[in-house]
Amino acid sequence: MDESDLRVGGWKKPRRITLLRLLGLLLVLALALLLIGPQFVTPFVAQVSGDSAELNLHFWNDAGSSESQEYNGLLKLHTQQYESIDGQTGLLRVITLSALISPANLPLDLEQLIINRIETEAELQRLELSNGRRDSTLSIAQGYQAELLKWDATVTGTGGFFTGSDGSLQVHAAYWEAEQGLIICVAFGTDVIRIDEAERMIQAVEA
């Protein structure tokens, strides 16, 4: 027998990884991820190209951008907003999602994640979505193919962009995975013309 296997009082027992130790290790790793992970997540910007006819002809204008974060900073969002020049018939929000691991590479229902985000955007504008449907794809100028989703919507309260608007709206959303992360574009319009303009702007999005 190997002397290294001997101890005073008997044989040296092999060390076992207990469930409690495993849970403790997972807890430490989770805490480290929460504390350190956000430092490695850098938001990126996606915006409509300056060559867009809708911007150059002043049908729409750039209304600025904002940044936010979720899950303690593990998911960071950058939102660029565009508004129709009349300030009441069209709204386009270009949202980028940055994370340590792209949502597209996680064992998640990506389409449901996108739908949840669009529902949140609709709530911000005091809109209620209905008749959701999957449409065809949309070709993006940078060479991507975006999935296209559509809804009808109605104004349910005040405080949103379309406050005072009568009738129903159309909501078109496109999403695709770029090298930097996930891009979601949500277009709201009171008529077909505005939605068509917004779709052409989505096709001109660059990251």
Side-chain angles (χ1 to χ4, degrees), residues 6-74:
L6 291 175
R7 276 185 177 176
V8 175
W11 298 98
K12 181 174 74 174
K13 296 180 180 180
R15 192 171 183 181
R16 294 174 181 169
I17 299 177
T18 65
L19 179 59
L20 188 59
R21 286 196 184 114
L22 183 58
L23 290 175
L25 178 60
L26 291 175
L27 180 59
V28 170
L29 290 174
L31 288 173
L33 180 63
L34 288 173
L35 293 173
I36 303 174
Q39 300 177 25
F40 297 96
V41 180
T42 303
F44 71 100
V45 176
Q47 56 192 0
V48 177
S49 168
D51 295 331
S52 166
E54 284 69 28
L55 293 180
N56 287 328
L57 295 174
H58 303 291
F59 295 154
W60 293 68
N61 59 49
D62 186 337
S65 63
S66 62
E67 291 187 356
S68 60
Q69 60 183 28
E70 297 179 3
Y71 305 109
N72 198 42
L74 293 175

Coordinates of all heavy atoms in Angstrom, one line a residue, residues 6-74:
L6 N -2.2 6.5 4.0 CA -2.4 6.2 5.4 C -2.5 7.4 6.2 O -1.9 8.5 5.9 CB -1.2 5.4 5.9 CG -1.1 3.9 5.4 CD1 0.2 3.3 5.9 CD2 -2.3 3.1 5.9
R7 N -3.3 7.4 7.2 CA -3.5 8.4 8.2 C -3.5 7.8 9.5 O -3.8 6.6 9.7 CB -4.8 9.2 8.0 CG -4.7 10.3 6.9 CD -6.0 11.0 6.9 NE -6.1 12.2 6.0 CZ -7.1 12.9 5.8 NH1 -8.2 12.7 6.5 NH2 -7.1 13.9 5.0
V8 N -3.2 8.6 10.6 CA -3.4 8.1 11.9 C -4.9 7.8 12.1 O -5.7 8.7 11.9 CB -2.9 9.2 12.9 CG1 -3.2 8.7 14.4 CG2 -1.4 9.4 12.8
G9 N -5.2 6.6 12.5 CA -6.5 6.2 12.8 C -7.2 5.5 11.6 O -8.3 5.2 11.7
G10 N -6.5 5.3 10.5 CA -7.1 4.5 9.4 C -6.8 5.0 8.1 O -5.8 5.8 7.9
W11 N -7.5 4.6 7.1 CA -7.3 4.9 5.7 C -7.8 6.4 5.5 O -8.7 6.9 6.1 CB -8.1 4.0 4.8 CG -7.7 2.6 4.9 CD1 -8.4 1.6 5.6 CD2 -6.6 1.9 4.3 NE1 -7.7 0.4 5.5 CE2 -6.7 0.6 4.6 CE3 -5.6 2.4 3.4 CZ2 -5.7 -0.4 4.2 CZ3 -4.7 1.5 3.0 CH2 -4.7 0.1 3.3
K12 N -7.1 7.0 4.5 CA -7.5 8.3 4.1 C -8.7 8.2 3.2 O -8.6 7.5 2.1 CB -6.4 9.1 3.4 CG -6.8 10.5 2.9 CD -5.6 11.2 2.3 CE -5.2 10.7 1.0 NZ -4.2 11.5 0.3
K13 N -9.8 8.8 3.5 CA -11.0 8.6 2.7 C -11.0 9.6 1.5 O -10.5 10.7 1.7 CB -12.2 9.0 3.5 CG -12.4 8.0 4.7 CD -13.7 8.3 5.5 CE -13.9 7.3 6.6 NZ -15.1 7.6 7.4
P14 N -11.4 9.2 0.4 CA -11.4 10.1 -0.8 C -12.4 11.2 -0.5 O -13.4 11.0 0.0 CB -11.9 9.2 -1.9 CG -12.6 8.1 -1.3 CD -11.9 7.8 0.0
R15 N -12.0 12.4 -1.0 CA -12.8 13.6 -0.8 C -13.9 13.6 -1.8 O -13.8 13.4 -2.9 CB -12.0 14.9 -0.9 CG -12.6 16.1 -0.5 CD -11.7 17.3 -0.5 NE -12.3 18.5 0.1 CZ -11.7 19.6 0.1 NH1 -10.4 19.7 -0.2 NH2 -12.3 20.7 0.6
R16 N -15.1 13.8 -1.2 CA -16.3 13.8 -2.1 C -16.9 15.2 -2.2 O -16.9 15.9 -1.3 CB -17.4 12.8 -1.5 CG -16.9 11.4 -1.5 CD -17.9 10.5 -0.8 NE -17.5 9.1 -0.8 CZ -18.0 8.2 -0.1 NH1 -19.1 8.5 0.7 NH2 -17.6 7.0 -0.1
I17 N -17.4 15.5 -3.4 CA -18.1 16.7 -3.7 C -19.5 16.5 -3.3 O -20.3 15.8 -4.0 CB -18.0 17.1 -5.2 CG1 -16.5 17.3 -5.5 CG2 -18.7 18.4 -5.4 CD1 -16.3 17.7 -7.0
T18 N -19.9 17.2 -2.2 CA -21.3 17.0 -1.7 C -22.2 18.0 -2.5 O -21.7 19.0 -3.1 CB -21.4 17.3 -0.2 OG1 -21.0 18.6 0.0 CG2 -20.4 16.3 0.5
L19 N -23.5 17.8 -2.4 CA -24.4 18.7 -3.0 C -24.3 20.1 -2.4 O -24.4 21.1 -3.1 CB -25.8 18.1 -2.8 CG -27.0 19.0 -3.4 CD1 -26.8 19.1 -4.9 CD2 -28.3 18.3 -3.0
L20 N -24.1 20.1 -1.1 CA -23.9 21.4 -0.4 C -22.8 22.2 -1.0 O -22.8 23.4 -1.2 CB -23.8 21.2 1.1 CG -23.9 22.5 2.0 CD1 -25.2 23.2 1.7 CD2 -23.7 22.2 3.4
R21 N -21.6 21.5 -1.1 CA -20.4 22.2 -1.7 C -20.7 22.7 -3.1 O -20.3 23.8 -3.5 CB -19.2 21.2 -1.7 CG -18.6 21.0 -0.3 CD -17.2 20.4 -0.5 NE -16.7 20.1 0.8 CZ -16.4 18.8 1.2 NH1 -16.7 17.8 0.4 NH2 -15.9 18.6 2.4
L22 N -21.4 21.9 -3.9 CA -21.7 22.2 -5.3 C -22.6 23.4 -5.3 O -22.4 24.4 -6.1 CB -22.4 21.0 -6.0 CG -22.7 21.2 -7.5 CD1 -21.4 21.6 -8.3 CD2 -23.4 20.0 -8.0
L23 N -23.6 23.5 -4.5 CA -24.5 24.6 -4.4 C -23.8 25.9 -4.0 O -24.0 27.0 -4.5 CB -25.7 24.3 -3.5 CG -26.7 23.3 -4.0 CD1 -27.7 23.0 -2.9 CD2 -27.4 23.8 -5.2
G24 N -22.8 25.7 -3.1 CA -22.0 26.8 -2.6 C -21.2 27.4 -3.7 O -21.0 28.6 -3.9
L25 N -20.6 26.5 -4.5 CA -19.7 26.9 -5.6 C -20.6 27.7 -6.7 O -20.2 28.7 -7.2 CB -19.1 25.7 -6.3 CG -18.2 26.0 -7.5 CD1 -17.1 26.9 -7.2 CD2 -17.7 24.6 -8.1
L26 N -21.8 27.1 -7.0 CA -22.6 27.8 -7.9 C -23.1 29.2 -7.4 O -23.2 30.1 -8.2 CB -23.9 26.9 -8.2 CG -23.6 25.6 -9.0 CD1 -24.9 24.8 -9.0 CD2 -23.1 25.9 -10.4
L27 N -23.3 29.3 -6.1 CA -23.7 30.6 -5.6 C -22.6 31.6 -5.7 O -22.8 32.8 -6.1 CB -24.0 30.4 -4.1 CG -24.5 31.7 -3.3 CD1 -25.7 32.3 -4.0 CD2 -24.8 31.4 -1.9
V28 N -21.3 31.2 -5.5 CA -20.2 32.0 -5.6 C -20.0 32.5 -7.0 O -19.8 33.7 -7.3 CB -18.9 31.3 -5.1 CG1 -17.6 32.2 -5.5 CG2 -18.9 31.1 -3.6
L29 N -20.2 31.6 -8.0 CA -20.1 31.9 -9.4 C -21.2 32.9 -9.8 O -20.9 33.8 -10.6 CB -20.1 30.7 -10.2 CG -18.9 29.7 -10.2 CD1 -19.2 28.4 -10.9 CD2 -17.7 30.4 -10.7
A30 N -22.4 32.7 -9.3 CA -23.5 33.6 -9.6 C -23.2 35.0 -9.1 O -23.5 36.0 -9.8 CB -24.8 33.0 -9.1
L31 N -22.7 35.1 -7.9 CA -22.4 36.4 -7.3 C -21.3 37.1 -8.1 O -21.4 38.3 -8.3 CB -22.0 36.2 -5.8 CG -23.2 35.8 -4.8 CD1 -22.6 35.6 -3.4 CD2 -24.2 37.0 -4.8
A32 N -20.3 36.3 -8.5 CA -19.2 36.9 -9.2 C -19.7 37.4 -10.6 O -19.4 38.5 -11.0 CB -18.1 35.9 -9.5
L33 N -20.7 36.7 -11.2 CA -21.3 37.1 -12.5 C -22.0 38.4 -12.3 O -21.9 39.3 -13.1 CB -22.2 36.0 -13.0 CG -22.8 36.3 -14.4 CD1 -21.8 36.5 -15.5 CD2 -23.8 35.2 -14.7
L34 N -22.8 38.5 -11.2 CA -23.6 39.7 -10.9 C -22.8 40.9 -10.7 O -23.1 42.0 -11.1 CB -24.6 39.4 -9.8 CG -25.7 38.5 -10.0 CD1 -26.5 38.2 -8.7 CD2 -26.7 39.1 -11.1
L35 N -21.6 40.7 -10.0 CA -20.8 41.8 -9.6 C -19.8 42.3 -10.7 O -19.6 43.4 -10.9 CB -20.0 41.4 -8.3 CG -20.8 41.2 -7.0 CD1 -19.9 40.7 -5.9 CD2 -21.5 42.5 -6.6
I36 N -19.3 41.3 -11.4 CA -18.2 41.6 -12.4 C -18.8 41.6 -13.8 O -18.3 42.4 -14.6 CB -17.1 40.6 -12.3 CG1 -16.5 40.6 -10.8 CG2 -16.0 40.9 -13.3 CD1 -15.5 39.5 -10.6
G37 N -19.8 40.8 -14.1 CA -20.3 40.6 -15.4 C -20.7 41.9 -16.1 O -20.3 42.1 -17.3
P38 N -21.4 42.8 -15.4 CA -21.8 44.1 -16.1 C -20.7 44.9 -16.7 O -20.8 45.7 -17.6 CB -22.6 44.8 -15.0 CG -23.1 43.8 -14.1 CD -22.0 42.7 -14.1
Q39 N -19.5 44.8 -16.1 CA -18.3 45.6 -16.5 C -17.9 45.1 -17.9 O -17.2 45.9 -18.7 CB -17.1 45.4 -15.6 CG -17.4 45.8 -14.1 CD -16.3 45.6 -13.2 OE1 -15.1 45.5 -13.6 NE2 -16.6 45.4 -11.9
F40 N -18.2 43.9 -18.3 CA -17.8 43.4 -19.6 C -18.9 43.5 -20.7 O -18.7 43.1 -21.8 CB -17.4 41.9 -19.5 CG -16.2 41.7 -18.6 CD1 -16.4 41.3 -17.3 CD2 -14.9 41.9 -19.0 CE1 -15.3 41.2 -16.4 CE2 -13.8 41.7 -18.2 CZ -14.0 41.3 -16.9
V41 N -20.0 44.1 -20.3 CA -21.1 44.3 -21.3 C -21.1 45.8 -21.8 O -21.3 46.7 -21.0 CB -22.5 44.0 -20.6 CG1 -23.6 44.2 -21.7 CG2 -22.5 42.6 -20.1
T42 N -20.8 46.0 -23.0 CA -20.7 47.3 -23.6 C -21.9 47.5 -24.6 O -22.0 46.8 -25.6 CB -19.4 47.5 -24.3 OG1 -18.3 47.3 -23.4 CG2 -19.3 48.9 -24.9
P43 N -22.7 48.5 -24.3 CA -23.8 48.7 -25.3 C -23.3 49.2 -26.6 O -22.3 49.9 -26.7 CB -24.7 49.8 -24.6 CG -23.7 50.5 -23.7 CD -22.7 49.4 -23.2
F44 N -24.0 48.9 -27.7 CA -23.6 49.3 -29.0 C -24.7 50.1 -29.6 O -25.9 50.0 -29.2 CB -23.1 48.2 -29.9 CG -24.3 47.3 -30.4 CD1 -24.8 47.4 -31.6 CD2 -24.7 46.3 -29.5 CE1 -25.8 46.5 -32.1 CE2 -25.7 45.4 -29.9 CZ -26.3 45.5 -31.2
V45 N -24.4 50.9 -30.6 CA -25.4 51.8 -31.2 C -25.8 51.3 -32.6 O -24.9 50.9 -33.4 CB -24.8 53.2 -31.3 CG1 -25.8 54.2 -32.1 CG2 -24.5 53.8 -30.0
A46 N -27.1 51.3 -32.9 CA -27.6 51.1 -34.3 C -28.5 52.2 -34.6 O -29.3 52.7 -33.8 CB -28.3 49.7 -34.3
Q47 N -28.3 52.7 -35.8 CA -29.1 53.9 -36.2 C -29.4 53.9 -37.7 O -28.7 53.2 -38.5 CB -28.4 55.2 -35.8 CG -27.0 55.3 -36.4 CD -26.3 56.5 -35.7 OE1 -26.8 57.2 -34.9 NE2 -25.0 56.7 -36.2
V48 N -30.4 54.7 -38.1 CA -30.7 54.8 -39.5 C -29.6 55.5 -40.2 O -29.2 56.6 -39.7 CB -32.1 55.5 -39.7 CG1 -32.4 55.7 -41.2 CG2 -33.2 54.7 -39.0
S49 N -29.2 55.0 -41.3 CA -28.1 55.7 -42.1 C -28.5 57.1 -42.5 O -29.7 57.4 -42.8 CB -27.9 54.9 -43.4 OG -27.0 55.6 -44.3
G50 N -27.5 58.0 -42.5 CA -27.7 59.4 -42.9 C -28.1 59.5 -44.3 O -28.6 60.6 -44.8
D51 N -28.0 58.4 -45.1 CA -28.4 58.4 -46.5 C -29.9 58.1 -46.7 O -30.4 58.2 -47.8 CB -27.6 57.4 -47.3 CG -26.1 57.7 -47.4 OD1 -25.8 58.9 -47.3 OD2 -25.3 56.8 -47.4
S52 N -30.6 57.9 -45.6 CA -32.0 57.5 -45.7 C -32.8 58.7 -46.3 O -32.7 59.8 -45.9 CB -32.6 57.2 -44.3 OG -34.0 57.2 -44.3
A53 N -33.6 58.4 -47.4 CA -34.4 59.4 -48.0 C -35.4 60.1 -47.1 O -35.6 61.3 -47.1 CB -35.1 58.9 -49.2
E54 N -35.9 59.2 -46.2 CA -36.9 59.7 -45.2 C -36.3 60.8 -44.3 O -37.0 61.8 -43.9 CB -37.5 58.6 -44.4 CG -38.5 57.7 -45.2 CD -37.9 56.9 -46.3 OE1 -36.7 56.5 -46.2 OE2 -38.6 56.6 -47.2
L55 N -35.1 60.7 -43.9 CA -34.4 61.7 -43.1 C -34.0 62.9 -43.9 O -34.2 64.0 -43.5 CB -33.2 61.1 -42.4 CG -33.5 60.0 -41.3 CD1 -32.2 59.5 -40.7 CD2 -34.4 60.5 -40.2
N56 N -33.4 62.6 -45.1 CA -32.9 63.7 -45.9 C -34.0 64.6 -46.5 O -33.8 65.8 -46.7 CB -32.1 63.1 -47.1 CG -30.8 62.6 -46.7 OD1 -30.2 63.1 -45.8 ND2 -30.3 61.5 -47.3
L57 N -35.2 64.0 -46.7 CA -36.3 64.8 -47.2 C -37.2 65.3 -46.0 O -38.2 66.0 -46.3 CB -37.2 63.9 -48.1 CG -36.6 63.4 -49.4 CD1 -37.5 62.5 -50.1 CD2 -36.2 64.6 -50.3
H58 N -36.7 65.1 -44.8 CA -37.3 65.6 -43.6 C -38.8 65.2 -43.4 O -39.6 65.9 -42.9 CB -37.3 67.2 -43.6 CG -35.9 67.7 -43.8 ND1 -35.0 67.6 -42.8 CD2 -35.3 68.4 -44.8 CE1 -33.8 68.2 -43.2 NE2 -34.0 68.6 -44.4
F59 N -39.0 63.9 -43.9 CA -40.3 63.3 -43.5 C -40.3 62.8 -42.1 O -41.3 62.8 -41.4 CB -40.6 62.1 -44.4 CG -40.8 62.5 -45.9 CD1 -40.5 61.5 -46.9 CD2 -41.2 63.7 -46.3 CE1 -40.7 61.9 -48.2 CE2 -41.4 64.1 -47.6 CZ -41.1 63.1 -48.6
W60 N -39.1 62.4 -41.6 CA -38.8 62.0 -40.3 C -37.6 62.7 -39.7 O -36.8 63.2 -40.5 CB -38.5 60.5 -40.2 CG -39.7 59.6 -40.6 CD1 -40.3 59.5 -41.8 CD2 -40.4 58.7 -39.7 NE1 -41.3 58.6 -41.8 CE2 -41.4 58.1 -40.5 CE3 -40.2 58.4 -38.4 CZ2 -42.2 57.1 -39.9 CZ3 -41.1 57.4 -37.8 CH2 -42.1 56.8 -38.6
N61 N -37.5 62.8 -38.4 CA -36.3 63.3 -37.8 C -35.8 62.5 -36.6 O -36.5 61.7 -36.1 CB -36.6 64.8 -37.3 CG -37.7 64.9 -36.3 OD1 -37.7 64.1 -35.3 ND2 -38.6 65.8 -36.5
D62 N -34.5 62.7 -36.3 CA -33.9 61.9 -35.2 C -34.3 62.6 -33.9 O -34.0 63.8 -33.7 CB -32.4 62.0 -35.4 CG -31.6 61.1 -34.4 OD1 -32.2 60.9 -33.3 OD2 -30.5 60.8 -34.7
A63 N -35.0 61.9 -33.0 CA -35.5 62.5 -31.8 C -34.6 62.1 -30.6 O -35.0 62.4 -29.4 CB -36.9 62.0 -31.5
G64 N -33.4 61.6 -30.8 CA -32.4 61.4 -29.7 C -32.3 59.9 -29.3 O -33.0 59.1 -29.9
S65 N -31.5 59.7 -28.3 CA -31.3 58.3 -27.9 C -31.3 58.2 -26.3 O -31.2 59.2 -25.7 CB -30.0 57.8 -28.4 OG -28.9 58.6 -27.9
S66 N -31.4 57.0 -25.9 CA -31.3 56.8 -24.4 C -30.7 55.4 -24.2 O -30.7 54.5 -25.1 CB -32.7 56.8 -23.8 OG -33.5 55.8 -24.3
E67 N -30.2 55.2 -23.0 CA -29.6 53.9 -22.6 C -30.2 53.4 -21.3 O -30.6 54.2 -20.4 CB -28.1 54.0 -22.4 CG -27.4 54.2 -23.7 CD -25.8 54.1 -23.6 OE1 -25.4 54.0 -22.4 OE2 -25.2 54.2 -24.6
S68 N -30.4 52.1 -21.1 CA -30.9 51.5 -19.9 C -30.3 50.2 -19.7 O -29.6 49.7 -20.6 CB -32.5 51.4 -20.0 OG -32.8 50.6 -21.1
Q69 N -30.6 49.6 -18.6 CA -30.1 48.2 -18.4 C -31.1 47.4 -17.6 O -31.9 47.9 -16.9 CB -28.7 48.3 -17.6 CG -28.8 49.0 -16.3 CD -27.4 49.1 -15.6 OE1 -26.4 49.1 -16.3 NE2 -27.4 49.1 -14.3
E70 N -31.0 46.1 -17.7 CA -31.8 45.2 -17.0 C -31.0 44.0 -16.4 O -29.8 43.9 -16.8 CB -32.9 44.6 -18.0 CG -33.8 45.7 -18.5 CD -34.8 45.1 -19.5 OE1 -34.9 43.9 -19.7 OE2 -35.6 45.9 -20.0
Y71 N -31.6 43.3 -15.5 CA -30.9 42.1 -14.9 C -29.6 42.6 -14.3 O -28.5 42.0 -14.5 CB -30.7 41.0 -15.9 CG -31.9 40.5 -16.6 CD1 -32.2 40.8 -17.9 CD2 -32.9 39.9 -15.8 CE1 -33.3 40.4 -18.5 CE2 -34.1 39.5 -16.5 CZ -34.3 39.7 -17.8 OH -35.5 39.3 -18.4
N72 N -29.6 43.6 -13.5 CA -28.5 44.1 -12.8 C -27.3 44.5 -13.7 O -26.2 44.4 -13.3 CB -28.0 43.1 -11.7 CG -27.1 43.7 -10.7 OD1 -27.4 44.8 -10.2 ND2 -26.0 43.0 -10.3
G73 N -27.6 44.9 -14.9 CA -26.6 45.4 -15.8 C -26.1 44.3 -16.7 O -25.2 44.6 -17.6
L74 N -26.6 43.1 -16.6 CA -26.1 42.0 -17.5 C -26.7 42.1 -18.9 O -26.2 41.5 -19.8 CB -26.5 40.6 -16.9 CG -25.8 40.3 -15.6 CD1 -26.4 39.0 -15.0 CD2 -24.3 40.2 -15.8

